[in-house]
Structure formats: structure tokens, C-alpha cells
Amino acid sequence: MQLDTSRLLDSVLEIENLNEAYRRVVQNRGAPGVDGMTVEELGPYLKDQWLGIREQMLSGRYMPQAVKGVEIPKAGGGKRLLGIPTVVDRFIQQSIHQVLARIYDPTFSDSSYGFREGRSTHGAIIRAREYVKEGYRWVVDMDLEKFFDRVNHDILMSRLGKQVKDKRLMGIIRRYLQAGLLCGGLMSPREEGTPQGGPLSPLLSNILLDELDKELERRGHRFVRYADDCNIYVKSEEAGKRVLESITRWLEKKLKLKVNREKSGVDRPWKRKFLGYSMTWNYAPKLKISPKSIERLKAKLKELFRRGRGRRLETIINELKPKLTGWMSYYRLTEVKGILANLDQWIRRRLRCIIWRQLKRVYARAKALMRRGLNEERAWRSATNQRGPWWNAGASHMNLAYPKSYFEKLGLVSLEEKLKAYQS
């Protein structure tokens, strides 16, 4: 059914749309906003207050509450600011999102993959590999500097106004953009940006960056965009440098967005990473897990292992299981598998290191090694070698006493076996 863009707020407030928005907000859960209200409290609150909220929205008097600012670490270093709306505002934003997506999503570029139904990071990664296979073996890797913090409200609202003719809805969206940010006990107004954390922000970012997509299509470029992460594939380094300079100027002039020149660049795809993946350099490139992704996983696991020195091995392995399973689910597209066997070995060595540390006395170490099948002479020789925990964790006596099968029985996930299961 064709939507009347002059009365979109009526569509937002239709009961079927509201029911779907409520279902999604409850399903997504999430932390409370500045008012402390939880997802579980949303239903009873709406039963009592929704008629009043609805009337305020229709009359243009509804004022969103401030968003709660939360800084989280970025994968590549630094911090990312999330803006967590209250659950009531998440519910309203979700109801708006659903109506606007019906208008905008069918018009978005086929090369846009972020925050869209039926599309994913995996689709973007596969498309990128296809371009490299076709001979576009140079990549323009563009990083938009603090994109979600720098979105120009006036430019975004003008783009929305081309389609959305309902002034009531436009007013609500504007007020969401300008809602204050409470961070560290201080309230600050927002004159630009649309912080990640609410249901509406991803769609608004796609509406703004669709203009970049259309410009790249107009110029005939092969590209893949996932949110503010955009890679353009060309056939030579010189062409890449021209494209990077030209698109940087276009973004700054048309959308008032700044390209981070330090993080952006022109290089071979196998020397860059895209959404955590890289590629091999051969004629038919294969996907592989980027070295930085491996480093980040090891850093996270090291923290878990440090915390685990005084705990039972079963407890540590139970904590490991969801982390490794989730990580392998994301990297299941990898076609270079050797690193997974190395990671499995590294994880087992870390666990053996914990075992060795927990056996603090020489007598306890010798007895443990004998219980695990080593003869008395070798057990005592190993227990008294005066080497450090990490050396012993990699030595043959610990590998014999605590082989791969020992950890499998305790439920340790093998990344190599997980990948085989995903790809079988």
C-alpha cells in the first residue's frame, strides 16, 4: 500500500505498527536510559500513559528525554560514544523507523549493506571479494571521521524533507536529533550528530549516506558500504588516489563530512581489512581473518585467562564457550584455516598455563602429572625444572598430561572444528 507522505505520523501510530515496534524493543532488550526504566517496565507504563503520549505527538508537544551517553572501546582503538534513549523513546523511534524504512529502503543502493533487513556484513564481504576477483585489485579505504557524532542536522533534515511531507513527524525527528546528551553527570545540547544506540540513528545515517552511494554509482564505481565504512575498488593505484581526493572533496562540500586522512588510504585489498576480514593476494583471492582481528581476540581472551588463575578450569571453559562460538560464527566465511589450528593450540597452552600456576608446590605438580599418566621419574623431573609457567605449558610433559582430548571432555570449543561444522 502506498503511504501518504503528508500523513506519515498517522501510519506511525497505527496499532499494528506500534505492536511490532513494542515486540522488537522487548526482543532487543538493552540497558535503561536516563530515567532508569527497564524493558520489563515498558508494557505497564504504556498501558497507563500511551494515550497522553500519543496526544502529545499528534499536537507537536512531545519532547524526548535526554539520551544517556556511554563510551565503549572501538575495535581499532579509541572510544565510541553511544547514546542510549529511554525505553519509551526507543519504542517511539522504532515505530518511526518501521514506517520510514518502507519508504526509503527500496530506494537504497544495492551496494549498501549496513542496518538493512536481509543484508549483513557477510554479504558486504562477499561482494568485496567478487570485485577483487573481477580485477579491481586496488581499494580506496575511506574512514569517515566520527561520522555518527558529526552528522549535520540541517543537511539530514533537508534530505528527509524531500520525501517526508508530514511536518508533525519531521518535528519529532528534529527533536530526537537535538535531545540532550547526559554523560558523566553533565547534560550537553546536541547541535550535530546522531549517536548510535537508538533504533532511528542507523536508518537516518543510511538516508544521508545514500547520497554518497548515488554519487559513486553515477561515477560508475564498484564499491561496498556498510554504515560509515566504505570501500571503493579500482584497477590502479593512480585511479585510487584520484578517487580518494575527489570523493573527500565531495563529502566535505555536499554533506559537511570529514574523511580521516590518517586512517583512509589506497592499497591492495590484502594489505587492508574490511569488517574484520582481509584477503589473500593470489589471482582468485580467498577471504581470511585479518591479523588485527586475531590480535583483538587474543587480547580479550588474555583478560579472561588473567581472571581465571584462581578459578576452576571448568568455569573458565564455560566462559570461553560463548565467546569462541560467537567469534567463529562471524568469521565462518574464512577460507584460510591454518590460523584457527594455531589459535586452538594457543588457547590450550593458556589453559595448561593456568593449571601449572594452580599447582603451586612441586609435590602437587608431580602428583598431578603422575595421575595424568606420566611415570614417576619423568613427573618429578618435570615438576622440578624451575622453568616458568608459559614454558611448561608448551612443554611435552604438559601436552602429554593434558592433551587436546582432556579439554574437549571439559567442553572446550575448537575453532577449527566449528569452522568445519559451519562449512559442511
Side-chain angles (χ1 to χ4, degrees):
M1 185 179 69
Q2 188 72 30
L3 290 171
D4 181 354
T5 59
S6 66
R7 300 196 63 82
L8 284 178
L9 185 56
D10 297 341
S11 299
V12 168
L13 297 174
E14 286 177 358
I15 189 65
E16 293 85 358
N17 188 58
L18 295 174
N19 285 340
E20 175 63 13
Y22 176 79
R23 186 188 69 79
R24 293 203 177 200
V25 169
V26 171
Q27 184 181 58
N28 292 337
R29 302 192 63 77
V34 294
D35 62 354
M37 186 185 297
T38 64
V39 168
E40 289 78 14
E41 297 170 308
L42 177 61
Y45 180 84
L46 291 176
K47 284 181 180 177
D48 289 338
Q49 303 294 329
W50 176 245
L51 289 179
I53 295 171
R54 183 179 187 278
E55 193 278 326
Q56 289 176 19
M57 292 175 68
L58 288 167
S59 63
R61 293 182 293 111
Y62 181 73
M63 295 298 296
Q65 294 193 63
V67 298
K68 182 167 70 175
V70 178
E71 287 189 328
I72 61 170
K74 291 176 69 173
K79 298 282 184 76
R80 171 178 285 116
L81 181 65
L82 294 185
I84 310 299
T86 65
V87 289
V88 172
D89 283 322
R90 294 211 292 272
F91 166 66
I92 295 172
Q93 285 193 30
Q94 181 62 39
S95 66
I96 295 171
H97 174 120
Q98 290 165 188
V99 170
L100 291 184
R102 287 161 60 190
I103 297 169
Y104 281 99
D105 197 78
T107 72
F108 286 155
S109 169
D110 190 48
S111 296
S112 166
Y113 286 84
F115 310 124
R116 298 180 63 189
E117 289 284 342
R119 287 173 168 257
S120 66
T121 51
H122 285 174
I125 292 158
I126 290 168
R127 173 69 71 89
R129 182 186 59 185
E130 288 172 358
Y131 286 143
V132 179
K133 278 186 176 179
E134 290 169 9
Y136 295 87
R137 297 171 72 83
W138 289 88
V139 61
V140 182
D141 187 355
M142 286 201 317
D143 182 272
L144 295 178
E145 190 172 287
K146 295 185 177 179
F147 168 73
F148 286 94
D149 299 332
R150 298 273 173 84
V151 169
N152 184 289
H153 290 174
D154 291 334
I155 291 176
L156 174 56
M157 292 304 295
S158 73
R159 299 305 184 269
L160 271 172
K162 291 178 180 179
Q163 292 275 7
V164 179
K165 305 303 181 184
D166 191 329
K167 292 182 179 179
R168 301 168 301 173
L169 184 56
M170 290 286 283
I172 292 171
I173 294 171
R174 169 74 80 167
R175 287 192 288 277
Y176 271 122
L177 289 173
Q178 295 176 335
L181 181 70
L182 183 65
C183 195
L186 297 175
M187 180 76 76
S188 55
R190 290 221 315 269
E191 296 178 355
E192 63 178 4
T194 171
Q196 293 170 279
L200 199 50
S201 179
L203 178 60
L204 294 179
S205 70
N206 269 339
I207 290 170
L208 183 65
L209 289 177
D210 185 59
E211 193 154 345
L212 168 63
D213 298 342
K214 296 297 191 286
E215 178 66 17
L216 293 173
E217 288 175 346
R218 189 185 67 78
R219 298 184 185 195
H221 289 309
R222 275 79 173 167
F223 70 97
V224 182
R225 184 176 66 79
Y226 191 94
D228 57 335
D229 202 343
C230 184
N231 278 5
I232 306 165
Y233 294 88
V234 295
K235 289 194 171 182
S236 71
E237 185 177 15
E238 294 73 19
K241 289 178 178 178
R242 288 196 302 270
V243 169
L244 180 58
E245 287 302 316
S246 175
I247 293 298
T248 296
R249 290 194 302 270
W250 184 92
L251 281 165
E252 290 174 352
K253 182 178 179 181
K254 289 285 289 186
L255 300 183
K256 299 291 188 285
L257 295 173
K258 188 176 181 181
V259 171
N260 187 324
R261 291 179 180 268
E262 288 185 10
K263 293 185 178 180
S264 301
V266 179
D267 212 333
R268 296 293 196 177
W270 44 90
K271 293 184 179 180
R272 307 290 288 195
K273 66 179 179 66
F274 181 51
L275 302 175
Y277 280 82
S278 187
M279 299 181 200
T280 59
W281 59 268
N282 45 314
Y283 180 75
K286 294 180 178 180
L287 292 173
K288 67 176 187 177
I289 305 167
S290 77
K292 285 188 177 180
S293 298
I294 301 291
E295 289 171 16
R296 285 199 296 271
L297 175 68
K298 284 187 169 184
K300 288 179 182 177
L301 296 185
K302 281 178 183 177
E303 179 59 34
L304 188 152
F305 293 136
R306 274 194 291 272
R307 295 199 312 270
R309 289 178 184 176
R311 293 188 295 167
R312 295 175 68 243
L313 201 64
E314 292 88 337
T315 303
I316 300 166
I317 288 173
N318 284 338
E319 273 194 47
L320 274 173
K321 188 172 183 177
K323 295 181 185 299
L324 297 178
T325 301
W327 191 83
M328 199 63 253
S329 175
Y330 182 77
Y331 288 105
R332 65 182 182 270
L333 295 182
T334 184
E335 298 164 286
V336 179
K337 304 170 185 179
I339 187 61
L340 299 178
N342 293 338
L343 273 172
D344 281 337
Q345 291 170 9
W346 179 84
I347 290 167
R348 290 194 296 272
R349 185 171 180 179
R350 283 281 170 182
L351 293 172
R352 292 186 188 106
C353 191
I354 291 172
I355 294 171
W356 188 264
R357 286 180 185 276
Q358 290 178 347
L359 298 168
K360 297 181 185 297
R361 298 174 183 271
V362 169
Y363 177 80
R365 288 172 181 167
K367 286 297 182 182
L369 292 173
M370 283 188 276
R371 282 196 303 271
R372 294 296 309 161
L374 271 67
N375 63 49
E376 184 175 1
E377 187 273 331
R378 184 170 185 188
W380 278 102
R381 180 158 39 88
S382 300
T384 57
N385 65 39
Q386 297 187 330
R387 299 271 195 161
W390 183 244
W391 184 90
N392 277 284
S396 60
H397 56 268
M398 285 295 282
N399 277 271
L400 285 168
Y402 300 94
K404 180 181 177 182
S405 59
Y406 173 80
F407 297 106
E408 286 174 347
K409 287 177 183 175
L410 293 178
L412 180 65
V413 169
S414 163
L415 297 173
E416 191 176 21
E417 293 303 317
K418 271 287 178 188
L419 181 65
K420 287 178 183 176
Y422 281 126
Q423 295 185 345
S424 61

